[in-house]
Amino acid sequence: MDASLLPPGPTRNAAATRPRECVVVRGGGTAAIMLGTGDAIAIRDGEGLQPALAFAITGEGRADGAALGFEGPADAGLADMLALGGEGSAQVAHALAARGIAPQAVSGHTVLVGDHLAQTQVVLTAQRDLLVVVAAPGGAMAPDGQDAPTDIEVTVTRAPGNERPLPEPLAEPKLDLRVPAAQARAFRVKAGDYIQIIDVDGRQCSDFLAFDAVALETGAEFGLDATTTRTLMGAAYPGPGLHSKYYDERQIPLVEVIRDTVGRHDTFALACSAKYYEDMGYPGHANCSDNFNAVLAPYGIRARAGWPAINFFYNTAVDHTNALTMDEPWSRPGDYVLMKALTDLVCATSSCADDIDPANGWVPTDIHVRVYDGAESFSKGTAFRMNAAAEPRLTRESAFHPRLAQMTRSFVEYRGFWLPTCFTGEGPIAEYWACREKAAVMDLSPLRKFEVTGPDAELLLQRTVTRDMRKLAVGQVVYTALTYDHGGMIDDATIFRLAPSNFRVVCGEEFTGAWLRDKAHEWGLNAFVRSSTDQLHNIAVQGPLSREILAEVIWTGPTQPAIAELKWFRFAVARLGGAMGPALVVSRTGYTGELGYEIWCHPKDAGAVFDAVWAAGAPKGLKPLGLAALDMLRIEAGLVFAGYDFCDQTDPFEAGIGFAVAEKEEDFVGKAALARRKANPARKMVGLRIEGNDAVGHGDPLYMGRAQVGVITSATHSPILKSQIALARIDVAHAAVGTQVEIGKLDGLKKRIAAEIVPFPHFDPQKTRVRA
């Protein structure tokens, strides 16, 4: 873009302020990074005890450890690492093949041996241009073991003048097209092919147009229509999953979103136009609409003053005053959207020219387009980030997904995994009654698992959770809360004690493990907190017949309790089918308010586990259970859900789990605040029975007259109670059973729904069913 068009005043130094460049090597997996001469990489093990290998490969395809600063002979083979098939191995194999490199010819060096503390790192500097492969080796963790391979983080610092390279292609590209800053490009795509729109340097918007190519040949223009798309998809913009398509005005889908590593785009505003800049005082400014007109003219597409494009990476929102607002994009270098063409298309992509506001972080940068053949296969997923600074991870399938996918197509993204909402031919009500009357099986693999080990493991947990861990016996499970210093909740969790200094924390938040790890480091404790989520997948078998079903398929040795002997909140080390079957851990725990168990296994054994449970349970009425039915069950039972019934502004007493706060002498994070809050309660969790069948939900306000006195945290229609019910947090002055309140709808004043406070929880308050 002409420098004369830049706005006056200071401008952002794009190189100085760009986000850090980081690659996460998944436990048991590999990743490839291109380095230029002088570039440095920091290979860091944030969790501890994880080995790391590095392979330095020259442009000629030979190993050259000395060019990365290694001395002595190589001690690792790349082919052996890739043969394990860990996450990233297919991408690394493709990167090698594209360069004509045989992995059998590449050897490397051990960077981290695996006997080190958390947050240990090694820094290496490239003496020449290199392709570096980093590996985090490790095998399968036994369910009763705690040696999970964990992630290695590689942070890249580029030497002055060295550009950040594009990410490796997802497959062999049919088209590799750069869209320079503040320009646009047009291209054709065949039906079935994939279109990848890449933000090269981050924080750059890219307007996208697509037209039915066959219709264009007849003189008809049918392109992506945002209003039609929003209406049919029921969302501000489509994303991977069920509601994933962009439509034209005929209501015909043109593209389907397969992957999205950002998750924030715009379908409301036009692509920037000459009028926008003129109105802002910048006549003659380059703009996306004029750029589109120029590149689409050869295809016979008429010019427009402002194009109604799909604005990828554009960070817009509608605020409480109904104003359309915007800010810098969420996208980072290498972030992308991957789409599948559903018909032959003529497409156009821009690098937005806006440099007068935060739309592109004040400095337009390049966009890159890749097109892949329709014969390729790509998993569907959106980005899951543990926190704002974390690297993205695409939605993954649990090891039970292949079995469940035979029963339903209704999957939603849940904390980085695809989980079913309900099942074809049954539906939530049938699934609910199966759990209440017979048995149901559900996939709960997205639960985060952390192995807490070491001489100070007990002390770490004693100082960070609200239960008294010194009273937890080997073989026992306890439910607890974790809180901040002010008493607000971080998470809730169940903790298994596998040995005197060995614990397993099962919780909902990825952040919980990082927080525990930081506390161990802060206090100088000899304790490790290592993620085992990818090594330990789990199904829950819940319902009155669950014990009878599992007794047929679970074997336990003489030192372990049999299924019939397993007490509530206890677990057994077990096997599937017999003494030589796959290793398992079976716990008498659940999230339904019914007698139930959870089976924990390595992903490689998940198919066999599910098949055995299904074979034993189906004749007894066992049904699969999805998230919709689970919500009914857990709300009836008063079981709280993060982000709905508690958050960092809610203490355990306000969340209805005050029983999980122990009276222990030792100090723990949040102890003083919780004592203060308990002595001076402001709000209380209550149950509500609601008149009528008007829909109510999370966030609806509760009123006494004109004053708001509380809020609904979760709501459902209860099949067994034959009414709408809710969990609600309400001022203690109005929390007595029998109190009449109103639920405010619309703006809280135009419509009110009557409700009555009833005992909490609604169903089986004495827990007689789970204790059966």
Side-chain angles (χ1 to χ4, degrees):
M1 185 174 62
D2 190 330
S4 65
L5 298 180
L6 290 171
T11 58
R12 167 170 71 92
N13 182 325
T17 61
R18 66 176 56 162
R20 68 173 187 158
E21 185 177 350
C22 180
V23 175
V24 175
V25 185
R26 302 299 173 188
T30 54
I33 305 113
M34 285 298 303
L35 297 182
T37 303
D39 291 348
I41 55 171
I43 300 175
R44 176 178 177 271
D45 179 11
E47 302 187 22
L49 303 181
Q50 173 60 46
L53 311 175
F55 304 84
I57 308 167
T58 67
E60 296 77 34
R62 63 181 181 84
D64 186 1
L68 205 55
F70 291 120
E71 299 178 356
D75 58 6
L78 181 54
D80 294 336
M81 191 64 216
L82 295 179
L84 298 176
E87 188 167 340
S89 60
Q91 290 84 349
V92 170
H94 178 271
L96 295 175
R99 294 167 173 81
I101 300 170
Q104 294 81 2
V106 178
S107 56
H109 294 74
T110 299
V111 180
L112 297 173
V113 177
D115 58 355
H116 50 271
L117 298 175
Q119 302 186 27
T120 297
Q121 75 173 21
V122 173
V123 178
L124 305 169
T125 301
Q127 304 303 313
R128 58 177 296 182
D129 292 354
L130 295 169
L131 173 67
V132 176
V133 176
V134 179
M141 185 190 83
D144 58 333
Q146 297 188 289
D147 58 346
T150 53
D151 296 349
I152 291 292
E153 184 180 88
V154 183
T155 303
V156 184
T157 303
R158 299 288 172 187
N162 286 1
E163 292 187 359
R164 181 197 306 258
L166 277 172
E168 290 292 325
L170 303 177
E172 185 65 31
K174 295 177 66 174
L175 173 69
D176 236 329
L177 176 66
R178 180 59 63 104
V179 183
Q183 297 185 29
R185 295 290 185 269
F187 52 97
R188 289 183 178 272
V189 179
K190 290 291 186 181
D193 285 356
Y194 296 89
I195 309 159
Q196 185 185 24
I197 311 294
I198 305 170
D199 186 349
V200 176
D201 288 307
R203 293 183 290 180
Q204 173 63 43
C205 300
S206 177
D207 296 308
F208 177 71
L209 304 175
F211 300 86
D212 184 330
V214 175
L216 280 177
E217 292 176 0
T218 68
E221 293 181 12
F222 293 107
L224 299 178
D225 185 272
T227 302
T228 303
T229 297
R230 290 194 303 267
T231 302
L232 295 181
M233 294 291 91
Y237 44 83
L242 276 180
H243 303 98
S244 59
K245 296 180 176 66
Y246 281 96
Y247 292 79
D248 66 18
E249 63 191 70
R250 301 169 299 177
Q251 302 186 12
I252 295 175
L254 298 186
V255 295
E256 178 183 6
V257 180
I258 303 299
R259 291 181 178 179
D260 179 358
T261 69
V262 178
R264 175 60 71 90
H265 311 284
D266 172 74
T267 60
F268 289 91
L270 294 172
C272 65
S273 64
K275 185 178 189 307
Y276 170 72
Y277 295 107
E278 290 166 359
D279 289 349
M280 296 292 287
Y282 298 96
H285 197 292
N287 64 88
C288 291
S289 291
D290 286 348
N291 288 340
F292 279 144
N293 290 336
V295 299
L296 290 173
Y299 296 92
I301 297 173
R302 63 184 175 86
R304 302 190 191 185
W307 273 101
I310 305 304
N311 302 309
F312 287 130
F313 316 132
Y314 193 19
N315 180 7
T316 63
V318 179
D319 71 11
H320 67 285
T321 67
N322 201 35
L324 187 63
T325 66
M326 53 85 76
D327 206 336
E328 292 186 8
W330 289 3
S331 55
R332 302 177 188 175
D335 272 338
Y336 65 88
V337 174
L338 179 70
M339 296 170 285
K340 184 174 185 177
L342 302 179
T343 189
D344 289 354
L345 299 173
V346 169
C347 301
T349 296
S350 76
S351 164
C352 180
D354 191 346
D355 57 6
I356 65 172
D357 55 43
N360 299 307
W362 299 97
V363 177
T365 52
D366 292 356
I367 290 294
H368 198 88
V369 178
R370 285 174 173 152
V371 175
Y372 305 102
D373 193 89
E376 303 289 348
S377 178
F378 301 109
S379 65
K380 295 182 179 182
T382 188
F384 173 84
R385 284 182 166 97
M386 178 180 70
N387 55 48
E391 294 306 302
R393 189 171 190 183
L394 286 170
T395 317
R396 52 206 195 269
E397 297 173 355
S398 84
F400 297 102
H401 186 276
R403 299 300 192 272
L404 299 175
Q406 297 174 18
M407 305 179 187
T408 183
R409 293 178 298 276
S410 182
F411 287 89
V412 296
E413 193 278 339
Y414 177 79
R415 294 184 181 176
F417 285 79
W418 291 115
L419 280 190
T421 54
C422 59
F423 289 84
T424 306
E426 297 293 345
I429 300 298
E431 297 163 26
Y432 165 93
W433 281 113
C435 188
R436 284 281 182 248
E437 296 178 338
K438 294 179 180 178
V441 58
M442 74 196 80
D443 185 2
L444 293 180
S445 298
L447 289 171
R448 270 31 183 189
K449 300 99 179 175
F450 299 98
E451 309 302 320
V452 184
T453 59
D456 294 332
E458 181 186 74
L459 180 58
L460 172 64
L461 293 176
Q462 186 75 349
R463 291 184 181 180
T464 51
V465 306
T466 59
R467 288 282 199 174
D468 190 342
M469 300 308 298
R470 302 197 188 280
K471 295 182 178 179
L472 188 65
V474 174
Q476 189 175 3
V477 187
V478 70
Y479 176 73
T480 188
L482 300 93
T483 62
Y484 292 104
D485 285 319
H486 70 281
M489 287 183 62
I490 299 170
D491 206 349
D492 62 346
T494 51
I495 299 181
F496 294 59
R497 189 165 202 159
L498 282 76
S501 296
N502 300 65
F503 300 83
R504 177 169 294 148
V505 175
V506 180
C507 56
E509 297 295 332
E510 191 86 19
F511 171 75
T512 299
W515 184 79
L516 289 170
R517 203 173 298 121
D518 288 345
K519 288 300 179 184
H521 180 74
E522 176 186 335
W523 296 329
L525 299 181
N526 189 358
F528 296 90
V529 181
R530 309 181 76 231
S531 174
S532 58
T533 302
D534 291 335
Q535 293 283 312
L536 203 62
H537 289 190
N538 55 299
I539 52 172
V541 182
Q542 306 279 296
L545 301 183
S546 57
R547 179 186 289 129
E548 180 181 337
I549 291 168
L550 293 189
E552 295 184 19
V553 299
I554 302 298
W555 177 91
T556 57
T559 62
Q560 296 289 318
I563 290 297
E565 301 168 326
L566 196 60
K567 302 299 183 183
W568 192 35
F569 274 87
R570 295 276 179 167
F571 70 88
V573 177
R575 297 248 173 202
L576 180 67
M580 303 305 293
L584 311 170
V585 167
V586 180
S587 60
R588 191 169 158 188
T589 51
Y591 194 50
T592 64
E594 290 289 345
L595 169 68
Y597 302 81
E598 290 178 87
I599 305 174
W600 314 79
C601 67
H602 190 272
K604 66 182 174 59
D605 299 317
V609 169
F610 190 89
D611 290 345
V613 170
W614 191 257
K620 297 178 174 63
L622 177 75
K623 294 187 184 300
L625 187 127
L627 292 175
L630 180 61
D631 218 33
M632 301 177 198
L633 294 160
R634 69 99 186 162
I635 292 172
E636 287 179 352
L639 303 173
V640 296
F641 182 50
Y644 281 70
D645 306 302
F646 69 83
C647 66
D648 55 10
Q649 299 301 304
T650 310
D651 63 52
F653 305 106
E654 295 170 327
I657 58 169
F659 62 85
V661 180
E663 297 287 342
K664 55 183 180 181
E665 294 182 1
E666 291 164 285
D667 194 15
F668 62 91
V669 179
K671 180 179 180 180
L674 290 176
R676 182 185 71 249
R677 286 173 175 248
K678 181 179 180 181
N680 303 280
R683 299 171 296 177
K684 182 179 180 181
M685 181 69 78
V686 299
L688 290 180
R689 186 185 293 268
I690 302 161
E691 286 189 12
N693 290 310
D694 284 298
V696 299
H698 171 73
D700 284 347
L702 296 181
Y703 287 89
M704 296 283 289
R706 190 173 177 82
Q708 182 178 344
V709 295
V711 64
I712 286 180
T713 61
S714 294
T716 190
H717 185 275
S718 168
I720 202 166
L721 299 177
K722 301 179 179 63
S723 67
Q724 286 238 85
I725 63 171
L727 307 182
R729 193 160 47 248
I730 193 168
D731 190 284
V732 293
H734 302 289
V737 172
T739 301
Q740 302 293 315
V741 295
E742 291 181 306
I743 301 165
K745 299 296 291 186
L746 303 180
D747 64 354
L749 301 174
K750 293 184 175 69
K751 180 177 180 179
R752 295 290 183 88
I753 300 171
E756 179 184 356
I757 296 178
V758 296
F760 170 83
H762 297 83
F763 177 74
D764 191 23
Q766 303 304 315
K767 309 293 184 186
T768 58
R769 297 170 78 95
V770 293
R771 296 176 183 271

